[in-house]
Amino acid sequence: GNSVTQMEGPVTLSEEAFLTINCTYTATGYPSLFWYVQYPGEGLQLLLKATKADDKGSNKGFEATYRKETTSFHLEKGSVQVSDSAVYFCALSLSGAGSYQLTFGKGTKLSVIP
Amino acid sequence: DAMVIQNPRYQVTQFGKPVTLSCSQTLNHNVMYWYQQKSSQAPKLLFHYYDKDFNNEADTPDNFQSRRPNTSFCFLDIRSPGLGDAAMYLCATSGGTGGHETQYFGPGTRLLVL
């Protein structure tokens, strides 16, 4: 079956520190990969996505590269801010007719302190 | 702005008292989803509609039902809420030119069962 494994949290960083949240996946076929962010008490917001190998998704200073050879989609940001404190979910979706389920990782809580 | 709207944001009900949560969307997407998210967990898909076709996940309890009267609206009915049904309920949509692989989430309704 399909699965997503992401690093356990919580992760605590000082403002302006470098962020990496690891995400690896197993899937039958060629999935699309996503990072969603959930701020406290809110729904999920799409942060970035990549639909094929070697694609790089980027948004708000975050980026992740679809690495087929290592089945990974690690999230990075060069300089985090307090406002980046949230839970980050890595997810995959298999494209094609009838495949509508997102498979999520367990989420990684990030806290950024001033 | 096109969006997914959920009302109410917070809902309190009594044990065993039916409750309905609502979702509307202005994205004109043909697929709508309902997820349950418990504290510190990833969202869990309950069911989805592809247009008017209802698709239930195998492990979704019978206590959960859904209605989609038109493209824009979708309802989640919990017939007899138990204490274990207290959670965040997330609505999502997909479709349009972006295809079905990317889901867009609403802000969620937090349900409290007394």
Side-chain angles (χ1 to χ4, degrees):
Chain A
N2 305 320
S3 66
V4 175
T5 302
Q6 61 183 104
M7 63 187 287
E8 300 266 339
V11 174
T12 302
L13 294 174
S14 298
E15 207 165 20
E16 300 183 2
F18 185 87
L19 168 71
T20 299
I21 301 178
N22 290 337
C23 171
T24 58
Y25 68 90
T26 58
T28 53
Y30 302 98
S32 294
L33 302 174
F34 306 85
W35 278 100
Y36 283 89
V37 58
Q38 187 172 34
Y39 298 101
E42 299 293 325
L44 273 68
Q45 297 179 24
L46 179 64
L47 182 59
L48 53 85
K49 71 176 185 180
T51 57
K52 62 182 186 296
D54 300 326
D55 270 1
K56 177 185 285 188
S58 61
N59 186 26
K60 300 180 181 179
F62 291 90
E63 58 182 36
T65 302
Y66 189 143
R67 301 287 188 197
K68 185 179 176 184
E69 62 276 12
T70 55
T71 61
S72 65
F73 193 56
H74 305 320
L75 182 68
E76 296 181 335
K77 187 175 184 181
S79 176
V80 294
Q81 305 300 313
V82 172
S83 57
D84 295 326
S85 299
V87 179
Y88 292 82
F89 290 95
C90 185
L92 69 82
S93 174
L94 279 166
S95 60
S99 297
Y100 302 125
Q101 184 161 350
L102 275 174
T103 300
F104 288 96
K106 292 186 176 180
T108 302
K109 183 176 181 179
L110 171 66
S111 296
V112 180
I113 55 177
Chain B
D1 286 343
M3 57 177 57
V4 182
I5 302 160
Q6 290 188 245
N7 287 305
R9 294 293 308 276
Y10 299 91
Q11 177 73 57
V12 181
T13 190
Q14 293 178 334
F15 183 94
K17 184 175 181 181
V19 65
T20 295
L21 309 181
S22 71
C23 176
S24 63
Q25 52 124 345
T26 60
L27 296 161
N28 202 33
H29 284 171
N30 57 341
V31 187
M32 296 186 76
Y33 310 77
W34 279 104
Y35 289 84
Q36 180 192 64
Q37 186 183 26
K38 296 191 174 180
S39 181
S40 301
Q41 296 183 19
K44 178 180 181 300
L45 183 64
L46 295 173
F47 25 61
H48 75 273
Y49 276 93
Y50 186 106
D51 293 325
K52 293 184 178 180
D53 292 334
F54 177 71
N55 298 273
N56 200 32
E57 294 301 300
D59 56 354
T60 298
D62 292 340
N63 198 27
F64 292 87
Q65 303 287 321
S66 186
R67 296 170 283 134
R68 190 179 185 186
N70 54 52
T71 300
S72 301
F73 285 87
C74 195
F75 300 98
L76 170 62
D77 300 310
I78 308 177
R79 294 194 293 188
S80 181
L83 297 179
D85 296 328
M88 173 79 91
Y89 290 88
L90 298 167
C91 176
T93 72
S94 68
T97 55
H100 294 295
E101 61 194 13
T102 303
Q103 295 185 21
Y104 298 90
F105 286 80
T109 295
R110 184 166 295 282
L111 178 68
L112 181 61
V113 181
L114 300 178

